Amino acid sequence: MNDNEKQLLRRLGEDSAYTFKGLHKQADLLDRKYKLYLSSPIIFSIVAIGFDEEIPSLILKLIAVVALIGSALALIEQKDFEKSGNYRELADQVKNLYEKIEASYHLDDFSNFVSLSTEWSELRKSFKDYPIGSRAYKLTQKNIKQEMNLDWLGGEYC
């Protein structure tokens, strides 16, 4: 395998690695957001019930409004939260492709590059329904080197 072919596999590997991590980070953020929306009404209700004599009525009403908003947001964004599992499934598919690309690179086997590229193109079509948000993107940029062994990609990853 010549250097140009290795570079093509590295580029495909890098794209799939970042996408895999980004999809997982997006799923993690959705899960955290859902837990926040569900736990805030519980916490505020406990505070309101436990300290009803110590807290003025106006503040209790404010706590109730915040709890209501948290519940409403959880219901409104329920469809997005349900996507979390789909993000993870798609991320696992990308991870499997990443592993195939890495194996081809280490075996110096460029013969299946076309099939790997086709598989990548097919997976990319699914990404339009599962966008990676800016926060997940930034977390991926920040943490990918610690969370994955990307030495085979060369350059900044070594």
Side-chain angles (χ1 to χ4, degrees):
M1 188 163 54
N2 65 40
D3 288 340
N4 189 31
E5 293 170 338
K6 284 184 176 185
Q7 185 60 28
L8 289 172
L9 280 174
R10 281 189 200 122
R11 191 172 303 132
L12 194 57
E14 183 178 29
D15 287 349
S16 60
Y18 273 90
T19 302
F20 158 71
K21 275 304 191 186
L23 289 167
H24 264 294
K25 295 290 182 194
Q26 185 66 34
D28 291 344
L29 289 173
L30 284 173
D31 288 345
R32 282 190 212 136
K33 190 175 175 183
Y34 188 61
K35 288 175 184 173
L36 175 70
Y37 286 171
L38 288 180
S39 63
S40 66
I42 294 168
I43 292 168
F44 287 123
S45 295
I46 291 170
V47 169
I49 291 170
F51 300 100
D52 62 332
E53 293 178 10
E54 292 85 11
I55 299 175
S57 170
L58 185 60
I59 294 176
L60 285 175
K61 288 179 183 177
L62 181 65
I63 288 172
V65 167
V66 171
L68 183 62
I69 289 171
S71 298
L73 287 173
L75 289 172
I76 290 169
E77 296 191 23
Q78 183 177 0
K79 289 261 191 249
D80 286 341
F81 299 136
E82 290 171 356
K83 280 184 159 182
S84 174
N86 295 342
Y87 270 98
R88 291 190 196 287
E89 287 176 22
L90 186 57
D92 290 342
Q93 291 174 11
V94 174
K95 174 71 170 169
N96 289 336
L97 176 62
Y98 169 82
E99 290 170 350
K100 290 178 194 175
I101 296 165
E102 184 179 14
S104 290
Y105 180 84
H106 289 304
L107 294 171
D108 284 337
D109 181 14
F110 191 73
S111 63
N112 59 354
F113 177 76
V114 173
S115 66
L116 293 171
S117 294
T118 303
E119 188 176 345
W120 177 244
S121 295
E122 290 299 315
L123 277 173
R124 287 183 61 88
K125 292 176 184 174
S126 304
F127 299 161
K128 68 180 171 91
D129 295 328
Y130 300 96
I132 298 172
S134 61
R135 189 160 177 232
Y137 177 79
K138 288 176 186 171
L139 286 170
T140 300
Q141 294 284 348
K142 180 180 175 186
N143 298 322
I144 194 165
K145 291 177 189 171
Q146 292 89 21
E147 295 176 358
M148 290 183 77
N149 180 9
L150 301 175
D151 291 343
W152 69 277
L153 294 175
E156 67 181 90
Y157 302 104
C158 292

